[in-house]
């Protein structure tokens, strides 16, 4: 595999908007494969290409953390087409802010579509942790980090806490 560099806050690339893919070709497929391998080497429920400094609308998600091969999704141009009015609070970890978790309220269920690695349009419905991962990764493609979804004051408090934890050498779940 090609080892990709994980960009970490406050790297400005994380606030950039990613460009759509025209067609899922061999180069895109290779990137998807590398991203999927990174997802198991540096465990996360998903990654967006911008976390590796690549400004393309590509994400990988696996809500089983490698337990179930059928739960691995490689997506180009993912787009949410429906959000449930019901919301839920969950804690989100992010390898680009690897010092702790962020409690966030988001829609509980979503419908979304994307191009799979065969360049076919696929539509799926997601709930629970899968819905959470997809929303988090699509946010990355728009340059939005989990902390950016907090109110101004909560964002400030959260970043202070993470700065303390970073200095203590703590990672997400320490
Ligand atoms: Zn993230």
């Amino acid at each position: 595999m090609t080892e990709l560099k994980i960009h970490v806050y406050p790297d400005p690339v994380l606030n950039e908007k990613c460009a759509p893919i025209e067609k899922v070709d061999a180069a895109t497929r290779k990137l998807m494969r590398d991203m999927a391998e990174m997802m198991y080497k540096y465990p996360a429920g998903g990654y967006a290409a911008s976390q590796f400094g690549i400004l393309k609308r590509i994400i990988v998600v696996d809500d089983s953390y490698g337990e179930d091969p059928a739960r691995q999704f490689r997506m180009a141009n993912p787009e949410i087409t429906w959000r449930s009015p019901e919301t839920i609070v969950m804690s989100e970890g992010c390898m680009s802010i690897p010092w702790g978790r962020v409690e966030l309220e988001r829609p509980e269920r979503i419908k979304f579509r994307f191009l799979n690695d065969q360049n076919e349009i696929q539509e799926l419905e997601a709930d629970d942790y899968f819905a959470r991962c997809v929303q988090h990764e699509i946010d990355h493609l728009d340059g939005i980090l989990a902390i950016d979804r907090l109110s101004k004051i909560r964002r400030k408090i959260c970043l202070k806490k993470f700065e303390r934890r970073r200095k203590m050498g703590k990672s997400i779940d320490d």
Side-chain angles (χ1 to χ4, degrees):
M1 74 176 273
T2 308
E3 179 90 14
L4 302 168
K5 180 182 176 247
I6 301 173
H7 290 249
V8 169
Y9 178 88
D11 190 321
V13 80
L14 296 168
N15 300 116
E16 297 277 340
K17 226 173 139 73
C18 296
I21 293 289
E22 253 177 61
K23 183 178 184 287
V24 178
D25 56 12
T28 310
R29 271 194 289 278
K30 176 171 185 335
L31 176 59
M32 287 172 159
R33 195 167 58 238
D34 288 339
M35 285 172 60
E37 283 172 6
M38 287 293 288
M39 177 165 65
Y40 303 119
K41 189 165 181 192
Y42 303 95
Y47 277 100
S50 54
Q51 289 182 275
F52 304 116
I54 299 159
L55 295 175
K56 293 179 176 174
R57 299 190 82 82
I58 298 170
I59 65 171
V60 291
V61 169
D62 182 343
D63 63 348
S64 81
Y65 283 75
E67 292 290 312
D68 177 0
R71 298 302 305 160
Q72 190 202 102
F73 296 91
R74 302 175 179 191
M75 312 182 201
N77 303 344
E79 215 181 310
I80 295 171
T81 54
W82 176 81
R83 294 169 173 85
S84 69
E86 302 83 23
T87 58
I88 185 172
V89 176
M90 285 177 93
S91 88
E92 295 183 21
C94 180
M95 293 302 272
S96 292
I97 327 173
W99 311 289
R101 291 179 171 275
V102 182
E103 294 277 314
L104 262 193
E105 183 174 2
R106 293 188 192 260
E108 189 172 7
R109 287 172 293 129
I110 55 167
K111 286 180 185 163
F112 61 103
R113 62 168 170 243
F114 58 94
L115 288 173
N116 66 17
D117 62 354
Q118 299 307 310
N119 200 49
E120 300 156 343
I121 294 176
Q122 238 182 297
E123 286 192 85
L124 289 175
E125 191 166 347
D127 63 2
D128 204 20
Y129 186 56
F130 184 39
R132 183 54 59 124
C133 292
V134 171
Q135 291 178 84
H136 177 107
E137 301 313 332
I138 291 178
D139 263 1
H140 271 302
L141 302 181
D142 292 318
I144 300 166
L145 297 172
I147 49 167
D148 300 329
R149 291 263 176 212
L150 298 172
S151 66
K152 235 179 165 174
I153 180 108
R154 283 189 62 208
R155 185 180 189 277
K156 225 173 142 178
I157 292 167
C158 193
L159 282 171
K160 264 194 182 156
K161 185 180 89 184
F162 285 172
E163 180 58 15
R164 265 200 318 274
R165 290 175 57 84
R166 188 183 67 80
K167 282 183 181 152
M168 294 190 305
K170 300 222 182 212
S171 58
I172 291 176
D173 287 313
D174 286 342

